[in-house]
């Protein structure tokens, strides 16, 4: 493909990537993935020959199409392009990149904008779940200007509230894939959980760190990285994900007591680099673990009271608040987060 491919580059939440219409990419998945590797410049730690930013958070792709599903506006496929390996995977969702999907769809004419606010229902093809997202559209036009601020992103932008429903077991088949709130894996007590993102939650102290280190410090700890990967590979099979050697899930989240008034503090590997913040659905899964009796997270988290809980999940650059709605049994029925997005570039990218 020597001709340019139409693309929009957007920041979605605390991530950044390329947004494509499905029809603008090859229909064959293998051919599509080869094109995306070339576009991002992978495999190369600098991604110098492509559009990627040499970080998993900036090597992401949204593939978007108009939906034929009832009560759904847009279908969205998320693809993680590995930086240093020739891998493109659809094994996970991305709630940050999701934040830009409705605005992109409106800009591309897939759906018509309302005045003031346009509600958009998005089907997440990776896991078969839906999200309801409000886009600010004054005078029927998408705006990225506003006063909403999220940690991990400088400045302010238009608010993009996202509500998730029915995300439990989206990748693993059930909220707790083993049926247990805790398991012993490689000698460590962990919670394996999937409420939109498969995560392995482990107490930082159990694995020899405080959980307050910077991402750079944690990445430099080779023994820690190797131990986390050993646990992750074992958990992958137990979580019904199979051999996860070449997969980006499950995420490994180390938890510690909150430091800044939140519910809990986290450090997450995704899977081999330490996240500068935390993924949207990863935060939802961790918040859920905080609410389950007996888990390592529940034992140290400040979860509050009542049928609606604001759980601030602390991360290296601030926190992400998950608004959890609970039923009479104390189980989460829906989760909402606030994100922002911004269009960065619209044009053509070349292979």
């Amino acid at each position: 493909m020597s001709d340019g491919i139409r693309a929009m580059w957007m920041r979605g939440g605390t991530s950044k990537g390329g947004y494509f219409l499905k029809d603008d990419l090859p229909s064959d998945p293998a051919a599509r993935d080869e094109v995306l590797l070339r576009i991002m410049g992978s495999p190369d730690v600098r991604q110098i020959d492509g559009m990627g930013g040499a970080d998993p958070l900036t090597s992401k792709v949204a593939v978007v199409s108009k939906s034929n599903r009832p009560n759904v506006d847009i279908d969205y496929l998320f693809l993680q392009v590995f930086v240093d390996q020739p891998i493109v995977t659809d094994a996970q969702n991305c709630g940050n990149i999701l934040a830009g999907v409705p605005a992109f769809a409106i800009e591309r004419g897939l759906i018509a904008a309302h005045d003031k606010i346009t509600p958009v229902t998005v089907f997440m093809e990776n896991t078969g779940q839906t999200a309801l997202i409000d886009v600010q559209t004054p005078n029927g036009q998408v705006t990225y200007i506003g006063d909403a601020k999220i940690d991990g992103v400088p400045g302010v932008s238009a608010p993009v509230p996202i509500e998730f429903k029915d995300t439990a077991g989206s990748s693993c088949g059930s909220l707790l894939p083993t049926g247990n709130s805790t398991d012993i894996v490689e000698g460590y007590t962990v919670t394996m959980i999937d409420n939109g993102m498969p995560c392995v939650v482990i107490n930082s102290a159990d694995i020899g760190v405080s959980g307050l280190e910077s991402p750079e410090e944690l990445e430099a700890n080779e023994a820690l990285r190797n131990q986390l990967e050993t646990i992750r590979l074992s958990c992958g099979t137990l979580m019904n994900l199979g051999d996860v050697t070449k997969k980006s899930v499950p995420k490994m989240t180390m938890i510690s007591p909150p430091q800044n008034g939140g519910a809990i503090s986290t450090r997450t590997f995704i899977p081999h680099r330490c996240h500068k913040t935390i993924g949207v659905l990863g935060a939802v899964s961790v918040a859920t673990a905080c609410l389950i009796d007996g888990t390592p997270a529940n034992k140290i988290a400040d979860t509050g009271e009542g049928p609606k809980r604001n759980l601030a999940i602390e991360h290296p650059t601030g926190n992400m608040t998950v608004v959890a709605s609970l039923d009479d049994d104390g189980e989460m029925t829906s989760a909402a987060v606030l994100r922002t997005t911004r269009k960065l570039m619209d044009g053509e990218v070349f292979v």
Side-chain angles (χ1 to χ4, degrees), residues 10-17 19 57-58 60 95-97 99-100 144-160 275-280 315-320 338-344:
M10 305 181 78
R11 175 187 60 77
T14 54
S15 294
K16 183 167 59 177
Y19 289 68
L57 301 183
T58 57
K60 298 185 172 187
N96 276 304
I97 291 296
Y144 301 96
I145 299 171
D147 58 6
K149 178 174 177 56
I150 60 173
D151 289 339
V153 177
V156 293
S157 303
V160 182
H275 208 309
K276 303 300 189 295
T277 57
I278 189 171
V280 170
H315 54 71
T317 54
N319 72 70
M320 184 185 301
L338 176 66
R339 296 284 83 190
T340 65
T341 190
R342 189 165 81 88
K343 179 170 68 172
L344 304 174

Side-chain angles (χ1 to χ4, degrees), residues 53-111:
D55 190 289
L57 301 183
T58 57
S59 188
K60 298 185 172 187
V61 168
V63 181
V64 180
S65 58
K66 189 172 180 61
S67 183
N68 294 318
R69 306 171 197 275
N71 303 314
V72 174
D73 299 306
I74 297 299
D75 290 344
Y76 153 59
L77 176 69
F78 171 69
L79 297 173
Q80 178 71 61
V81 182
F82 279 47
V83 174
D84 57 351
Q85 300 181 62
I87 296 173
V88 179
T89 177
D90 63 359
Q92 66 175 84
N93 275 323
C94 180
N96 276 304
I97 291 296
L98 169 66
V101 167
F104 171 76
I106 294 171
E107 296 244 27
R108 284 288 187 261
L110 298 185
I111 51 177

Side-chain angles (χ1 to χ4, degrees), residues 251-275:
K251 311 299 188 188
M252 299 296 298
T253 297
M254 296 177 288
I255 55 167
S256 58
Q259 301 296 306
N260 298 297
I264 201 165
S265 182
T266 64
R267 295 293 186 270
T268 300
F269 275 76
I270 56 169
H272 307 127
R273 299 284 298 275
C274 189
H275 208 309

Side-chain angles (χ1 to χ4, degrees), residues 73 102-103 106 111-121 132-138 140-142:
D73 299 306
I106 294 171
I111 51 177
H114 300 178
D115 188 23
K116 296 183 179 179
I117 295 176
T118 302
V120 181
T121 302
L132 179 61
I133 306 171
D134 286 343
V135 183
Q136 305 299 307
T137 51
Q141 300 290 323
V142 175

Side-chain angles (χ1 to χ4, degrees), residues 227-275:
Q227 190 59 57
L228 287 174
E229 182 65 1
T230 298
I231 299 169
R232 192 181 79 88
L233 294 176
S234 295
C235 288
T237 301
L238 296 172
M239 296 177 75
N240 303 316
L241 296 169
D243 182 359
V244 298
T245 304
K246 295 184 177 181
K247 295 181 180 179
S248 54
V249 289
K251 311 299 188 188
M252 299 296 298
T253 297
M254 296 177 288
I255 55 167
S256 58
Q259 301 296 306
N260 298 297
I264 201 165
S265 182
T266 64
R267 295 293 186 270
T268 300
F269 275 76
I270 56 169
H272 307 127
R273 299 284 298 275
C274 189
H275 208 309

